[in-house]
Amino acid sequence: MNNGILDEFSGTIGKVVGSNWKGVAYMRAKPKKRSNAGTESQLEQQARFALASKFAQSMSQLLTLGFRDQAINMTGTNYALSQILNEAITGTSPDFQIDYSKVAVSRGKLQRAKTPAATAGSKAGIIQFTWADNSARQNAKSTDQSLLVAYCPELNETEYIIGTTRSAGSGLLDVEDFSGKKVQTWMSFLSANTKLIANSAYTGEVTVP
């Protein structure tokens, strides 16, 4: 504490821990040592959190982009993690699963995709996305750029690309490393100046050729 008792501090004083995150000073209680493994409900919550966190970390860079407007004083990954835990975890312990159709990878005010779909491409390692050109509807423009996403649960890896324009009506995502595997897919749009982003649309499961 460099400036007296009312100053921000870093470290531990008694049972209080002080730190700073993204310019915001905070204090928290020093964690207590556990004397047991936790209750059944605690263990279930830990399992849910571990599943959601593993998935979210696979696309952390994408989530930083996709939730930049919502993630105030937190990371995009943390915002997405909360959404996944609240809306997309299904099943019962110990067989929790993620309902990918309820997962969002972006949220924003730009007009979303119309009739989006994803299918196996005609070449190995390629996924083809298609959508209807709804340029000029509300704030949609022909120059909006597509955001194409594929997540491979088997590898816990994500590939995405900012690709063709809204007016193109289709785009390709190269996922060569996922060949022969099943992936979950989403798409969204970014404005040409990247200031606006759309709500993402889940485009289903695809087996990569």
Side-chain angles (χ1 to χ4, degrees), residues 41-94:
S41 61
Q42 288 174 331
L43 294 175
E44 287 186 2
Q45 184 61 16
Q46 289 171 16
R48 288 162 54 88
F49 184 87
L51 176 64
S53 181
K54 180 181 177 182
F55 169 57
Q57 287 296 330
S58 80
M59 55 177 68
S60 59
Q61 188 175 27
L62 169 65
L63 299 176
T64 298
L65 171 65
F67 295 115
R68 62 189 179 186
D69 295 334
Q70 291 78 23
I72 308 301
N73 294 329
M74 67 174 71
T75 65
T77 301
N78 284 344
Y79 182 90
L81 183 60
S82 176
Q83 182 259 324
I84 294 165
L85 285 169
N86 289 328
E87 302 175 24
I89 301 294
T90 63
T92 56
S93 180

Side-chain angles (χ1 to χ4, degrees), residues 100 127 150-157 175 177-185 202 204-209:
Y100 297 105
I127 298 175
Y151 167 71
C152 179
E154 183 178 336
L155 300 177
N156 193 46
E157 294 180 4
V175 287
D177 292 343
F178 301 162
S179 289
K181 304 183 186 301
K182 293 181 178 180
V183 298
Q184 305 296 324
T185 64
Y202 176 67
E205 183 178 88
V206 176
T207 300
V208 181

Side-chain angles (χ1 to χ4, degrees), residues 109-132:
K109 298 180 180 180
L110 187 63
Q111 181 70 19
R112 65 182 296 172
K114 181 179 180 181
T115 61
T119 57
S122 58
K123 296 181 179 180
I126 298 295
I127 298 175
Q128 180 170 12
F129 290 80
T130 58
W131 57 88

Side-chain angles (χ1 to χ4, degrees), residues 85-108:
L85 285 169
N86 289 328
E87 302 175 24
I89 301 294
T90 63
T92 56
S93 180
D95 299 315
F96 291 120
Q97 296 178 335
I98 296 175
D99 183 346
Y100 297 105
S101 68
K102 295 181 180 178
V103 171
V105 298
S106 71
R107 283 181 176 165

